Amino acid sequence: MYSKEEAKRLKENFWTTFGQYMSVVPSADYEKVNWVNYKTGIKTLYFRLEATNKTASIYIEITHPDDAIRQLMFDQFKELKNVFSSTVAEDWEWDEVYYDENGKKTARISTSIAKISVFNKEHWPNLISFFKPRIIALDEFWSMAKYSFDIFK
């Protein structure tokens, strides 16, 4: 078991390592991008990477407080589902209503792997191998799709 400080330090070290590893990868638009803290340009739309002591997840999260607007944003993703699926080249989970760890109502499109721990340095190559192609694919999708979401800026 790790102390809270040790756990925090290990997570920070992983994300720093991942960020350094990805720093040489340009975005689909050939721009420098912060892969760990990806900016979509829309306040309530996030691409998130998450790693715990049991799982790793990558997801699109729509957090708009207005249910109708959040639903419109999710519907826009559904309109682009074929493009999304062909870009990420795998099936992701589509949750129109998702409650985050704080009980906040969101919408989420996600994929994850189990039996992997950010606290085990031996798992880091597998975590990087999980995150890298998916965040690059998300960026490629977003490069094509972001204009469909300009109304939400």
Side-chain angles (χ1 to χ4, degrees), residues 2-152:
Y2 295 104
S3 73
K4 206 172 188 177
E5 278 184 30
E6 289 171 319
K8 181 181 177 187
R9 190 173 25 80
L10 267 171
K11 278 183 129 177
E12 285 174 355
N13 286 344
F14 171 75
W15 291 116
T16 299
T17 300
F18 180 72
Q20 289 170 339
Y21 177 77
M22 292 294 294
S23 67
V24 297
V25 179
S27 73
D29 296 328
Y30 300 101
E31 297 172 353
K32 189 163 177 57
V33 63
N34 180 343
W35 294 104
V36 175
N37 189 17
Y38 192 97
K39 302 286 187 209
T40 65
I42 298 172
K43 259 186 189 179
T44 58
L45 178 65
Y46 303 95
F47 294 174
R48 301 209 196 267
L49 306 170
E50 189 174 273
T52 69
N53 63 335
K54 296 179 183 172
T55 64
S57 303
I58 181 168
Y59 52 93
I60 300 167
E61 186 171 47
I62 305 167
T63 63
H64 201 286
D66 184 297
D67 287 348
I69 294 173
R70 188 174 55 254
Q71 184 64 49
L72 281 172
M73 292 173 81
F74 191 83
D75 289 345
Q76 187 61 37
F77 274 102
K78 287 196 304 191
E79 289 289 322
L80 298 164
K81 190 171 185 175
N82 287 339
V83 175
F84 178 83
S85 295
S86 67
T87 305
V88 298
E90 62 185 4
D91 291 329
W92 286 32
E93 288 184 41
W94 292 65
D95 297 305
E96 287 187 44
V97 177
Y98 183 91
Y99 291 92
D100 70 13
E101 62 278 354
N102 299 318
K104 183 179 177 184
K105 190 176 182 181
T106 68
R108 188 177 280 193
I109 302 164
S110 64
T111 190
S112 61
I113 56 172
K115 298 180 182 174
I116 196 161
S117 175
V118 71
F119 301 120
N120 183 341
K121 285 189 175 188
E122 291 177 13
H123 290 184
W124 287 12
N126 293 338
L127 285 166
I128 290 169
S129 295
F130 173 73
F131 287 129
K132 181 183 178 182
R134 288 165 180 86
I135 192 67
I136 289 171
L138 268 183
D139 173 66
E140 183 181 336
F141 165 76
W142 192 242
S143 176
M144 297 179 280
K146 62 186 169 190
Y147 306 105
S148 300
F149 291 84
D150 280 350
I151 190 170
F152 302 109

